[in-house]
Amino acid sequence: MIRIENLHKRFGALEVLKGVDLHVKPGEVVCIIGPSGSGKSTVLRCINRLEEPTSGKIVVDGHDVMDPATNINAIRSETGMVFQQFNLFPHMSVLDNVTLGPIKVRGVKRAEAETLGRELLAKVGLADKAPKFPDQLSGGQKQRVAIARSLALKPKAILFDEPTSALDPELVGEVLEVMKRLAREGMTMVVVTHEMGFAKEVADRVIFIDQGRIQEEGPPREFFSNPKHPRLRDFLGKVFSHE
Amino acid sequence: MAFQFEPSVVIDTIPLLMRGLKLTILITVGGLFFGFLLGALAGLMKISRSFIARKTAGIYIECIRGTPMLVQAMFLYFGVPMAIGMRIHPLVAGIIVIAVNSGAYIAEIVRGAIQSINVGQTEAGRSIGLTRFQTMRYVIWPQAFKRMIPPLGNQFIISLKDTSLLMVIGVGELLRTGQEIVAVNFRAFEVYLAVAIVYLAMTLSIAKGLRILEHRLHMRTQR
């Protein structure tokens, strides 16, 4: 589904990614963890080219993302993205947030898009919020709308960039619930997260990125119970001492 | 002869100014209409990916902001016809001057408002597959436009008052009409006071109108 080979990304003199290889199979849930500044969000943002990779190869659903002949907008509409800061469109109602993509990108008729939009809002438990504006929602509700917005394009994969990091602790659960359901339904997901509980429970594979490289990866049980890399042991030690 | 203020002259002068007022309004509305189009274009060019577009807009903005409007008006009305061998109607010249002049300031307003919108909005738009243009059209512009209203109101008021400078190129606008009346009745104090009152009434109306517009747009996003 997503294949990344030898991905490098440099911001000026700073080399953030120093050769990352990652294959994500259809239906797979991959969680990426790592200290801040390790480059984990950058990997995600390179997949739909919100960040321009310096070198390397990225193939999404058989399309070479880096190829200038590839229609990047088409790839983006096939790979949803959920942001840490939600990035809902504040000047549009919740329903319009969800229907904008289908109407403008897919050319779906408004009535049809709204039916779909209401279904998706119901799916994330926000059917009654359709006419509201983002400002009137809690953080958890905003993030669930953002998930509905990305689902509206019927993407083949969804990229989650620290989807719960900006939320008050009591609102994290409702967002993770929605994500768990998507995972169970077979959605391909790449999730950059600090939620170790979620990674343990939902991920098919957990990846530890540090200093611009994948340092360790594996199925969650083994990954968390028997971390091999000293940096990962150190990182997990720090994370769990706070939990 | 001692000066004697005659309030009735002020009252009587105002209807006589209507002919000039019409022209002032026409030039202001026409000039600002084209000025906004020009300003929106130049503002977008200023943040475009194309170096040439950025530079072109930059030169336009600097040249216009760096020269007095009075000079621009005289150059266009008296200077340019010598080069093109064709007279320009004063009214047309007036509208062009206001448009070109306000456009340079509006460009900076547009650029600033667009750049003030969080980059996450662009990323969200692009992430659902919208093109650059669609993202601007449906996501960024509507939010930026709301932020443009207060500075645009300011510019509208400045441009309205600047139309008075056009009397030097023979546009029979409000101030010139007043001047013609003074030439007949010599009541400079009362007549220019009346002219000032009419300008003030218009600028206050613009300010009020924009406050209403701003309020409406605000209501629409926060029911």
Side-chain angles (χ1 to χ4, degrees):
Chain A
M1 183 69 231
I2 299 170
R3 193 156 45 90
I4 302 174
E5 283 170 14
N6 199 20
L7 174 65
H8 286 257
K9 173 64 188 179
R10 182 187 287 281
F11 292 102
L14 184 70
E15 191 169 26
V16 181
L17 299 179
K18 302 168 184 165
V20 169
D21 294 272
L22 175 64
H23 292 207
V24 181
K25 294 191 280 287
E28 195 179 18
V29 177
V30 174
C31 283
I32 303 179
I33 66 168
S36 46
S38 59
K40 51 196 196 304
S41 286
T42 308
V43 173
L44 209 61
R45 293 162 57 83
C46 282
I47 295 174
N48 63 356
R49 240 174 77 193
L50 281 184
E51 217 70 80
E52 203 64 48
T54 306
S55 68
K57 188 168 173 143
I58 300 175
V59 179
V60 175
D61 195 28
H63 303 284
D64 184 348
V65 174
M66 312 274 283
D67 185 349
T70 303
N71 180 357
I72 189 64
N73 298 319
I75 290 183
R76 285 184 178 138
S77 69
E78 298 291 344
T79 52
M81 185 151 198
V82 174
F83 300 87
Q84 181 177 357
Q85 299 295 337
F86 328 127
N87 294 343
L88 292 183
F89 307 132
H91 59 301
M92 294 181 188
S93 73
V94 163
L95 185 61
D96 288 344
N97 264 274
V98 179
T99 58
L100 183 69
I103 293 172
K104 299 302 174 194
V105 177
R106 295 270 192 267
V108 173
K109 291 218 166 48
R110 176 167 291 275
E112 202 180 319
E114 288 189 350
T115 309
L116 170 71
R118 285 179 201 284
E119 273 169 27
L120 290 171
L121 287 173
K123 183 174 178 170
V124 298
L126 295 170
D128 56 325
K129 301 293 185 196
K132 301 280 186 194
F133 280 81
D135 278 1
Q136 299 165 300
L137 305 182
S138 73
Q141 292 170 335
K142 282 182 197 170
Q143 197 59 300
R144 286 187 279 154
V145 172
I147 293 172
R149 177 175 69 183
S150 68
L151 286 173
L153 289 138
K154 304 194 164 83
K156 298 198 168 92
I158 302 187
L159 314 172
F160 292 85
D161 188 4
E162 303 198 26
T164 58
S165 297
L167 296 176
D168 291 337
E170 76 271 22
L171 302 176
V172 169
E174 60 189 70
V175 173
L176 293 182
E177 265 321 304
V178 170
M179 291 169 63
K180 281 178 200 169
R181 238 180 61 208
L182 286 179
R184 278 201 299 272
E185 289 170 10
M187 176 61 76
T188 309
M189 296 163 62
V190 183
V191 187
V192 170
T193 187
H194 293 291
E195 293 294 327
M196 299 303 154
F198 177 82
K200 262 186 204 171
E201 189 186 333
V202 184
D204 297 307
R205 193 150 45 109
V206 186
I207 285 174
F208 175 63
I209 293 189
D210 190 25
Q211 297 182 326
R213 285 194 182 88
I214 294 182
Q215 307 286 4
E216 185 158 344
E217 63 175 292
R221 187 190 300 262
E222 197 184 310
F223 183 93
F224 287 110
S225 60
N226 186 20
K228 291 174 196 68
H229 199 286
R231 288 193 160 280
L232 175 57
R233 269 202 293 267
D234 185 47
F235 177 72
L236 291 178
K238 278 181 194 152
V239 170
F240 286 114
S241 70
H242 291 295
E243 277 192 359
Chain B
M1 192 178 72
F3 171 74
Q4 180 97 48
F5 178 48
E6 292 280 356
S8 64
V9 177
V10 179
I11 311 283
D12 294 342
T13 301
I14 288 177
L16 299 175
L17 293 171
M18 286 306 132
R19 189 170 45 85
L21 175 63
K22 272 187 207 152
L23 270 187
T24 290
I25 292 174
L26 179 66
I27 294 169
T28 306
V29 171
L32 285 174
F33 174 78
F34 291 111
F36 184 73
L37 295 183
L38 202 56
L41 180 70
L44 289 170
M45 282 168 69
K46 198 85 195 289
I47 50 174
S48 99
R49 281 183 301 181
S50 151
F51 175 79
I52 296 172
R54 284 201 307 273
K55 265 286 171 248
T56 309
I59 290 169
Y60 159 61
I61 293 166
E62 292 310 327
C63 288
I64 296 301
R65 288 201 309 185
T67 54
M69 202 191 89
L70 195 52
V71 175
Q72 293 161 14
M74 296 182 78
F75 176 73
L76 177 70
Y77 186 70
F78 298 113
V80 171
M82 307 201 76
I84 62 173
M86 196 176 80
R87 286 182 55 95
I88 302 172
H89 191 280
L91 185 62
V92 175
I95 290 175
I96 293 175
V97 168
I98 294 291
V100 170
N101 186 272
S102 67
Y105 294 92
I106 292 172
E108 289 294 87
I109 294 171
V110 168
R111 182 188 60 79
I114 288 173
Q115 288 182 330
S116 77
I117 302 298
N118 191 308
V119 65
Q121 290 290 309
T122 304
E123 292 184 349
R126 301 307 305 274
S127 80
I128 58 173
L130 297 177
T131 63
R132 281 171 65 89
F133 177 80
Q134 287 176 320
T135 304
M136 180 56 73
R137 166 78 182 76
Y138 300 112
V139 177
I140 306 300
W141 183 268
Q143 298 183 58
F145 185 71
K146 231 185 299 180
R147 296 192 185 174
M148 289 175 208
I149 293 172
L152 276 181
N154 227 356
Q155 183 57 43
F156 286 6
I157 287 168
I158 291 170
S159 290
L160 169 72
K161 292 188 297 180
D162 279 354
T163 58
S164 63
L165 296 171
L166 297 172
M167 66 180 285
V168 301
I169 61 168
V171 178
E173 46 65 63
L174 185 53
L175 178 58
R176 185 168 178 106
T177 309
Q179 195 187 30
E180 284 162 2
I181 296 168
V182 174
V184 176
N185 68 7
F186 301 107
R187 306 298 305 203
F189 187 93
E190 289 83 356
V191 172
Y192 289 131
L193 182 63
V195 169
I197 289 169
V198 176
Y199 275 116
L200 186 62
M202 284 194 290
T203 54
L204 290 176
S205 310
I206 293 178
K208 178 80 185 161
L210 283 156
R211 268 201 302 277
I212 293 170
L213 178 64
E214 204 178 339
H215 186 67
R216 282 225 184 118
L217 284 174
H218 188 71
M219 294 297 283
R220 221 167 60 189
T221 55
Q222 277 165 343
R223 263 177 293 196

